[in-house]
Amino acid sequence: MAEAHPVGFQWVMEAKRRGATVIHVDPRFTRTSALADEFVAIRAGSDIAFLGGIVNHILANELDFREYVLAYTNAATIVSEGFQDTEALDGLFSGYDPETGTYDPSTWQYEGHNGQTSHDTHVHRETAGGLRQESHGPPVPAETERDETLQHPRCVYQILKRHFSRYTPEVVERLCGVPPEQFAKVCDAWTRNSGRDRTTALVYSVGWTQHSVGVQYIRTGAIIQLLLGNMGRPGGGIMALRGHASIQGSTDIPTLFNLLPGYLPMPHHQRHETFDQWVDEIRHPGQKGFWAEARAYAVSLLKAYFGENATPDNDWGYGYLPRMTGDHGTYQQVLNMIDGKVKGYFLLGQNPAVGSAHGRAQRLGMANLDWLVVRDLYLIESATFWKDSPEVETGEIVPEECRTEVFFLPAASHVEKEGTFTQTQRMLQWREKAVDPPGDCRSELWFFYHLGRLVRERLRDSTLERDEAVRALAWDYPTRGPDDEPSAEAVLKEINGYDVATGAPLPGYTALKADGSTACGCWIYSGVFADGVNQAARRKPGREQSWVAPEWGWVWPANRRILYNRASADREGRPWSERKAYVWWDPDKGEWTGHDVPDMEKTKHPAYRPPPGASGAAALAGDDAFIMQGDGKGWLYVPSGLIDGPLPTHYEPVESPVRNPLYTQQANPTRKVYDRADNQLNPAPPEPHSEVFPYVFTTSRLTEHHTAGGMSRQLAYLSELQPEMFVEVSPDLAAERGLVHLGWAHVVTGRAAVEARVLVTSRLRPLRVEGRVIHQVWLPYHWGTNGLVTGDSANDLFGITLDPNVLIQETKVGTCDIRPGRRPTGRALLDYVADYRRRAGLDATHYPPLETP
Amino acid sequence: MTTTGYDPAPAAGYPDAPPRMGFFTDTSVCIGCKACEVACKEWNAVPDDGFDLLGMSYDNTGGLSANTWRHVAFVEQAAPSAASLDVLREAAEGATQFLGMPSSTLPGETGREDRDLRWLMMSDVCKHCTHAGCLDVCPTGALFRTEFGTVVVQEDICNGCGYCIPACPYGVIDQRRDDGRAWKCTLCYDRIGDGLTPACAQACPTESIQYGELDELRARAASRLATLHERGVTEARLYGHDQNDGVGGDGAFFLLLDEPEVYGLPPDPVVPTRELPSMWKHAGVAAVTMAAAAVAAFLGWRR
């Protein structure tokens, strides 16, 4: 966190100053570790085993916060008899279909609940369905069978206990390389600092997400925080640091293929032929919670999109929305480009030539388009690949013959335009424009507005059906100034939502209607312009308001700062302790009150229990803290919604030198793979020849540079701070491979060889894993061919293998070799890498099966 | 006004000098982000110092220079384990014959593998000494003492003679190769005069760099040191705070977590001009003696 979020890290330091203990778990000792009280060196890719060991510690020693667990989790819920765990099936859950590499989750369901789940998990994987369920809560019955004594052998608590029983401290040592004394220290610190009086916060970032089991990493963290009663409580919770500013905003109002604003799913051509089918799948009739109003959110969104052209007669313009037909994820798109299936590409503020996995595939894909439009602050590598990429050096791309026509349009920086950022804590902060952009630089808003305007002008007289959608758009934003800059405030007002007849801004999402009388660009953001005031622009200093600081910016939903804060009080609505009081029930006033906006209907009594057959918000009991889940409870066990299992299980990374000691199943049996000659992955046991790539490598960031380097390697003041691409190795590895400090080395995988200067440091230490020494190698991923300082790109080393739930790439762990000296260049480089592939047994027809035989 | 005697601004002739201002840099909370280096360069339009991978851990700046006025040092070390500390203690107490022989380990290291890693980070800066060597030797008056007690070099007066360079006991002030003039930290004289905070202190996210009245900073530092000692961080110490040291104490002082040498700082800096009065006196006595001897010799000759 100190490396990538130095300004945010000041709050960790403030907590430390006030006596908090900071524990840092990482494959290498970073600037965060330097300030932590305890640094735990871990093998990259083994975090589920580490966290699983903590879960086991909690359950085996009955250290869970029992009242919280009973009140707010599904620990007591009984699971159907057909469920079989990885313990019984050697690393698989019941229902695995080796043909599709996915599970039929019907045996995972709660007892007595059958038939309401989607069996089509294959489609879910193609469409990253897990991302939609981020705030959605897949279908489960409102009422479940429970055993409040937690003794029933099929209750979630007992299933959890059995499942994690094999994650002993010895296993943690064998698998992760963490010594038992240190592991005990972590378990102790975490459990002792959780409960009524104290809470512990868990912080993670892309070191957890960018794995083929990334979602399950986070699940394990969530299990611990639920068992210890840290969710929904001040000083507790799980903070997911993002990788880039406003990325939270980019999923809330998405730039993703499978989501519409507010986490409404993009319709699928088969499953959602009609508007009603689409809405009903979101609503889950019979479910608890606020998704029951999905029709109002959907209609209001369509009214925002299509204005007068969205009417009850045309299903509000539902027919105009695009439909998913399969995997439209970025990696599939790039492979489609290589295969000649994509004509054009808009690339805005992103540099996949450096920043995405498998750089070679990215660049070869971009070299096979009709046209490419790049908008950025500088000529990034993704704009100039056709003349200076590594493929030009090897002869795979010939500038004179490259068929892609590249248009570069300079972009305005964030101080040259107004608008909001949405950061990880769901906070929207409005930024004013400080200066005009220079020359031809323009904002994204300007670009898309005028592009849309020009396209619509071209199509004004078209009678083709395929042009109807664009012609039907409501595209009348006010513009001002010499550049006709659209008003960002007008867009924010539309996102907030307004009454169609009067234009009056809406106070929040509960005011949205399904009859076309309201329009709203993003239901979860409704309220950001309540009362006609730009709430996101508020900047009341912290010292002038309460410690929750509700008048700084605006947080969705409804300016609620901690989600699920109902769990900060007990079942009767009393705070767990004075010290940790956050929201509570005021019996005299008959309402919820406290330091934050309560995450419970204001006047719903804690003892309220819904009548049978209730649904929607009325079905939420007064102790249903997790209001977005179908049963109102936090899920220790996930009956549906995740492709790879209801419980996290240790699988080895797809590329690993270690045979999974826990199960026959080596890696995630449902992972998304692209079996192609240009995407071969290094062999992992039990496949032979994994010793050709004997070392584990991982990538991350330096404080001095930013992501793919477009915003830092062009600046002298930052470039001089870290002027060269380098690789960190331990003194032991340096000795083993003959690497010299400040000398050259190159790292080799089945995809590429990347050269770097050597930094020998004790901050990387060899780990003892499964009885042998495992060396880890670290690379920063910031370098490319353009800028004041240039170097090879670390992401060229990775192939494409994805988490099945959200289609994120595994770029935090792989296997490699490292050798002294610079890499070959030109055709010799291709031959060099090909020789490694040959020795590793990678030929064009060999792909390991998903299910390890 | 300082609590003890000498205050540089009044001593330099300011009749109503404001309180002495300075820096307290608490390296125990430095996260090595280098925002201070960048903020300083942005504000002062200091040129970049070259793109060189130095391999000194994450320090590619190297040291304070004419083009680096805030420099973050990184020291990777293994903190001695309890067992090895015992050995050193025994040796010091004479249980074994400790000859103080040089070994292959540097100050702060014991050369053993089985212990916790420590990564020290520190933002170094001009010390704005109470008795400043650079100021004392400057022949043109380019270097002067401000009303805040800080030391500033005026680039439009500096003639590039270079006398100040060897006069600094910390090796801070330096000449630019291209224009020959001497440059160093101004303690953002053009900011503090308007009540603003120096750029580095403003940018520092963890308040490792603290700016304020020197007396108040010293009190804060003492309190912080006590807290750290209470928490068992016994190697914590202040550096440059002592008004009886060889430069009269620094206007920019530090809290360190190890010996100054570990950070590349001189353990006992002395302003070179400290001995000047006594040197001139001795030279004067020597001259008079020589003159007397010459007179005596000639008188003897006459006889």
Side-chain angles (χ1 to χ4, degrees):
Chain A
M1 188 177 178
E3 296 280 349
H5 297 263
V7 178
F9 194 75
Q10 69 180 287
W11 302 115
V12 175
M13 295 306 292
E14 177 65 21
K16 211 183 156 193
R17 195 182 63 77
R18 299 185 190 191
T21 301
V22 178
I23 298 176
H24 186 228
V25 183
D26 202 285
R28 93 192 210 285
F29 190 100
T30 68
R31 280 171 272 206
T32 305
S33 326
L35 277 303
D37 295 294
E38 187 79 27
F39 165 66
V40 180
I42 194 173
R43 174 170 69 102
S46 65
D47 298 58
I48 291 177
F50 181 79
L51 295 169
I54 299 175
V55 174
N56 187 33
H57 177 84
I58 295 170
L59 294 174
N61 296 297
E62 304 232 331
L63 295 171
D64 56 286
F65 186 173
R66 188 53 59 89
E67 294 127 302
Y68 179 105
V69 166
L70 281 173
Y72 301 129
T73 75
N74 67 352
T77 308
I78 299 176
V79 173
S80 86
E81 244 185 302
F83 170 67
Q84 285 182 288
D85 193 9
T86 50
E87 301 304 292
L89 300 177
D90 202 8
L92 296 176
F93 295 98
S94 44
Y96 186 70
D97 177 6
E99 290 291 307
T100 58
T102 60
Y103 286 101
D104 172 350
S106 41
T107 57
W108 304 350
Q109 300 314 304
Y110 291 155
E111 173 85 348
H113 180 234
N114 297 302
Q116 237 190 314
T117 68
S118 165
H119 288 232
D120 207 350
T121 45
H122 175 65
V123 174
H124 264 236
R125 182 173 58 197
E126 296 300 286
T127 61
L131 197 62
R132 173 163 54 82
Q133 266 115 33
E134 193 169 305
S135 73
H136 194 167
V140 284
E143 288 309 311
T144 60
E145 279 190 46
R146 291 166 59 95
D147 170 21
E148 306 291 335
T149 68
L150 303 183
Q151 295 306 308
H152 192 294
R154 281 189 283 117
C155 77
V156 164
Y157 190 86
Q158 293 297 334
I159 289 176
L160 222 66
K161 223 173 159 177
R162 284 195 299 275
H163 178 86
F164 285 103
S165 61
R166 68 165 63 203
Y167 295 87
T168 60
E170 292 69 45
V171 160
V172 170
E173 184 178 23
R174 274 174 66 197
L175 251 177
C176 312
V178 178
E181 317 78 53
Q182 192 179 41
F183 180 66
K185 242 175 148 179
V186 175
C187 289
D188 219 42
W190 201 335
T191 52
R192 269 191 292 107
N193 199 65
S194 306
R196 278 182 180 264
D197 284 304
R198 306 199 69 83
T199 52
T200 299
L202 180 60
V203 179
Y204 75 89
S205 190
V206 294
W208 265 17
T209 60
Q210 291 177 359
H211 290 270
S212 53
V213 286
V215 169
Q216 297 292 354
Y217 268 45
I218 294 141
R219 275 276 304 134
T220 330
I223 289 172
I224 295 174
Q225 291 295 72
L226 281 170
L227 286 175
L228 296 178
N230 283 318
M231 297 305 298
R233 301 187 60 206
I238 298 182
M239 167 143 276
L241 300 173
R242 310 306 300 245
H244 195 21
S246 211
I247 275 200
Q248 181 63 45
S250 82
T251 52
D252 296 342
I253 303 197
T255 54
L256 301 173
F257 76 92
N258 61 340
L259 289 181
L260 289 172
Y263 299 95
L264 294 166
M266 191 73 74
H268 187 268
H269 77 113
Q270 280 170 334
R271 298 213 320 277
H272 308 126
E273 280 190 49
T274 70
F275 179 65
D276 287 331
Q277 280 176 314
W278 180 55
V279 170
D280 277 346
E281 188 170 297
I282 309 168
R283 283 182 62 221
H284 304 318
Q287 303 295 300
K288 295 191 186 196
F290 286 87
W291 277 112
E293 305 306 318
R295 183 175 289 263
Y297 313 150
V299 172
S300 302
L301 176 65
L302 292 169
K303 284 301 283 184
Y305 280 163
F306 302 111
E308 289 167 354
N309 294 320
T311 68
D313 301 321
N314 68 358
D315 269 338
W316 311 104
Y318 177 71
Y320 298 140
L321 288 179
R323 302 284 193 271
M324 291 193 290
T325 56
D327 175 5
H328 306 280
T330 181
Y331 288 101
Q332 181 64 63
Q333 296 285 45
V334 167
L335 297 173
N336 286 347
M337 288 178 199
I338 292 176
D339 296 342
K341 296 181 191 165
V342 179
K343 304 295 176 205
Y345 193 17
F346 284 98
L347 204 52
L348 304 113
Q350 188 149 350
N351 193 7
V354 174
S356 292
H358 205 336
R360 186 162 164 274
Q362 303 289 334
R363 296 181 294 260
L364 289 177
M366 289 192 289
N368 197 29
L369 300 165
D370 287 356
W371 53 266
L372 167 67
V373 174
V374 179
R375 276 183 44 87
D376 214 298
L377 304 175
Y378 290 103
L379 282 171
I380 54 174
E381 288 80 358
S382 300
T384 62
F385 66 90
W386 55 272
K387 60 182 174 107
D388 58 23
S389 60
E391 287 67 40
V392 171
E393 202 186 277
T394 59
E396 294 168 281
I397 294 178
V398 179
E400 294 79 7
E401 295 168 19
C402 178
R403 57 180 282 252
T404 307
E405 189 174 2
V406 182
F407 300 86
F408 183 83
L409 288 109
S413 81
H414 70 281
V415 297
E416 295 163 350
K417 57 192 180 188
E418 57 178 15
T420 57
F421 276 68
T422 306
Q423 311 289 44
T424 183
Q425 70 273 48
R426 308 182 313 286
M427 182 185 290
L428 282 76
Q429 292 175 92
W430 177 268
R431 306 287 182 89
E432 301 291 352
K433 175 178 170 182
V435 289
D436 285 326
D440 288 335
C441 296
R442 298 285 184 272
S443 68
E444 253 61 60
L445 193 54
W446 181 95
F447 175 74
F448 278 111
Y449 172 72
H450 288 288
L451 180 67
R453 180 181 62 77
L454 291 167
V455 166
R456 281 158 52 81
E457 268 169 41
R458 288 276 178 99
L459 301 178
R460 186 177 30 217
D461 298 321
S462 168
T463 52
L464 296 172
E465 200 182 334
R466 70 161 190 247
D467 295 333
E468 272 178 40
V470 173
R471 295 176 63 234
L473 283 170
W475 206 250
D476 49 355
Y477 300 95
T479 62
R480 53 185 181 228
D483 296 333
D484 292 320
E485 181 75 21
S487 161
E489 209 177 63
V491 176
L492 191 61
K493 282 181 181 165
E494 180 182 61
I495 286 170
N496 176 76
Y498 55 91
D499 179 272
V500 172
T502 63
L506 299 174
Y509 65 81
T510 51
L512 295 177
K513 303 271 188 296
D515 60 6
S517 62
T518 58
C520 174
C522 182
W523 71 277
I524 54 178
Y525 280 24
S526 188
V528 69
F529 229 106
D531 304 319
V533 172
N534 186 340
Q535 309 283 340
R538 299 181 304 168
R539 291 291 188 278
K540 192 173 205 178
R543 61 183 169 273
E544 292 174 25
Q545 47 175 326
S546 78
W547 58 276
V548 170
E551 289 180 74
W552 180 288
W554 185 87
V555 170
W556 70 261
N559 204 28
R560 182 175 298 123
R561 304 275 156 154
I562 293 186
L563 284 178
Y564 313 126
N565 57 37
R566 169 69 183 87
S568 66
D570 65 20
R571 257 196 158 127
E572 288 70 41
R574 297 171 308 222
W576 293 111
S577 64
E578 262 322 292
R579 193 169 176 274
K580 289 287 174 178
Y582 195 67
V583 305
W584 55 87
W585 174 255
D586 183 336
D588 300 319
K589 291 205 185 130
E591 64 180 29
W592 288 94
T593 184
H595 300 301
D596 192 0
V597 177
D599 204 352
M600 179 53 66
E601 288 161 276
K602 193 107 172 113
T603 54
K604 181 169 272 183
H605 196 281
Y608 169 83
R609 297 293 177 267
S615 74
L620 285 169
D623 64 350
D624 279 337
F626 291 89
I627 62 168
M628 300 308 284
Q629 298 303 100
D631 56 358
K633 302 299 174 203
W635 283 5
L636 295 165
Y637 168 99
V638 176
S640 72
L642 291 180
I643 309 255
D644 44 9
L647 292 170
T649 298
H650 173 74
Y651 295 120
E652 284 290 317
V654 176
E655 292 188 354
S656 168
V658 176
R659 178 76 179 93
N660 190 345
L662 297 183
Y663 312 106
T664 299
Q665 183 59 33
Q666 171 74 5
N668 188 338
T670 63
R671 63 192 183 275
K672 175 81 189 182
V673 297
Y674 299 95
D675 285 337
R676 308 162 48 113
D678 52 12
N679 188 41
Q680 295 193 297
L681 302 173
N682 297 349
E687 300 271 300
H689 309 305
S690 65
E691 72 285 347
V692 172
F693 301 110
Y695 308 121
V696 172
F697 83 99
T698 185
T699 60
S700 66
R701 306 172 192 223
L702 294 163
T703 309
E704 296 87 341
H705 282 296
H706 186 64
T707 60
M711 287 173 74
S712 59
R713 283 185 296 103
Q714 305 281 353
L715 301 174
Y717 289 161
L718 294 177
S719 297
E720 64 170 332
L721 299 177
Q722 292 285 10
E724 285 204 52
M725 173 61 173
F726 62 96
V727 56
E728 290 187 350
V729 296
S730 69
D732 292 41
L733 179 55
E736 184 172 302
R737 273 289 190 257
L739 308 172
V740 173
H741 184 68
L742 288 186
W744 282 97
H746 55 279
V747 179
V748 193
T749 66
R751 273 78 46 195
V754 153
E755 66 184 12
R757 303 286 295 279
V758 176
L759 231 69
V760 180
T761 169
S762 304
R763 292 181 291 102
L764 264 142
R765 57 182 76 156
L767 299 172
R768 279 211 88 74
V769 172
E770 281 295 276
R772 57 189 233 257
V773 171
I774 296 282
H775 289 292
Q776 301 194 102
V777 165
W778 176 86
L779 295 142
Y781 80 98
H782 305 294
W783 269 270
T785 48
N786 298 359
L788 297 173
V789 294
T790 62
D792 281 357
S793 305
N795 281 334
D796 286 8
L797 295 168
F798 291 105
I800 302 169
T801 183
L802 314 180
D803 172 291
N805 297 295
V806 296
L807 301 184
I808 195 168
Q809 71 284 346
E810 181 156 82
T811 38
K812 284 295 169 177
V813 60
T815 52
C816 70
D817 190 11
I818 183 169
R819 297 274 167 184
R822 305 191 70 156
R823 59 164 172 81
T825 57
R827 287 230 70 92
L829 175 60
L830 293 177
D831 295 335
Y832 186 70
V833 177
D835 183 62
Y836 265 91
R837 275 206 290 270
R838 188 187 49 77
R839 286 189 288 115
L842 298 178
D843 71 62
T845 61
H846 172 75
Y847 303 106
L850 284 178
E851 184 187 4
T852 313
Chain B
M1 261 298 278
T2 54
T3 48
T4 65
Y6 185 81
D7 196 357
Y14 292 97
D16 286 303
R20 186 173 177 191
M21 306 302 281
F23 285 133
F24 165 46
T25 303
D26 179 358
T27 69
S28 71
V29 297
C30 175
I31 59 173
C33 70
K34 307 178 191 171
C36 52
E37 291 198 33
V38 176
C40 169
K41 292 211 180 191
E42 287 277 357
W43 178 257
N44 294 294
V46 177
D48 70 79
D49 221 347
F51 304 149
D52 318 296
L53 187 75
L54 300 179
M56 290 159 52
S57 185
Y58 278 6
D59 176 4
N60 294 306
T61 304
L64 292 172
S65 70
N67 290 336
T68 295
W69 303 354
R70 266 280 177 190
H71 157 244
V72 182
F74 290 80
V75 183
E76 294 179 31
Q77 53 167 220
S81 64
S84 61
L85 274 175
D86 285 339
V87 167
L88 290 174
R89 201 175 300 122
E90 273 181 36
E93 287 162 3
T96 48
Q97 180 81 114
F98 184 56
L99 300 175
M101 300 285 277
S103 66
S104 60
T105 57
L106 302 164
E109 277 204 62
T110 60
R112 288 178 45 163
E113 292 305 314
D114 60 333
R115 65 219 149 168
D116 291 340
L117 193 52
R118 210 160 61 141
W119 202 1
L120 304 176
M121 300 167 201
M122 173 227 184
S123 178
D124 195 12
V125 72
C126 166
K127 314 299 179 291
H128 294 273
C129 310
T130 301
H131 297 294
C134 61
L135 178 62
D136 286 347
V137 306
C138 176
T140 62
L143 278 151
F144 75 103
R145 178 80 61 181
T146 74
E147 66 269 36
F148 298 105
T150 58
V151 179
V152 172
V153 54
Q154 301 165 88
E155 69 263 22
D156 52 343
I157 297 176
C158 174
N159 67 358
C161 73
Y163 288 178
C164 54
I165 314 297
C168 173
Y170 298 99
V172 170
I173 195 164
D174 188 23
Q175 281 171 288
R176 269 187 199 159
R177 201 153 288 197
D178 50 357
D179 76 5
R181 292 175 286 180
W183 300 84
K184 73 171 189 71
C185 161
T186 64
L187 224 145
C188 277
Y189 190 38
D190 52 351
R191 286 176 70 93
I192 65 178
D194 280 329
L196 296 175
T197 305
C200 55
Q202 182 73 32
C204 178
T206 60
E207 293 180 357
S208 172
I209 301 175
Q210 296 172 39
Y211 163 77
E213 291 180 27
L214 198 56
D215 279 345
E216 211 254 293
L217 291 177
R218 285 189 178 132
R220 232 190 267 171
S223 159
R224 172 67 178 160
L225 189 67
T227 305
L228 284 173
H229 285 166
E230 253 170 73
R231 287 201 196 150
V233 187
T234 48
E235 329 85 84
R237 76 206 63 204
L238 296 178
Y239 175 80
H241 64 299
D242 182 3
Q243 289 157 278
N244 297 317
D245 72 14
V247 297
D250 293 331
F253 69 103
F254 301 81
L255 187 149
L256 304 177
L257 294 177
D258 208 326
E259 306 277 326
E261 298 94 313
V262 169
Y263 295 87
L265 294 166
D268 182 22
V270 174
V271 58
T273 50
R274 182 176 69 177
E275 308 304 330
L276 262 183
S278 127
M279 281 160 63
W280 281 117
K281 200 165 71 167
H282 282 84
V285 166
V288 163
T289 311
M290 198 167 78
V295 164
F298 276 108
L299 283 176
W301 172 256
R302 279 237 201 90
R303 249 192 269 121

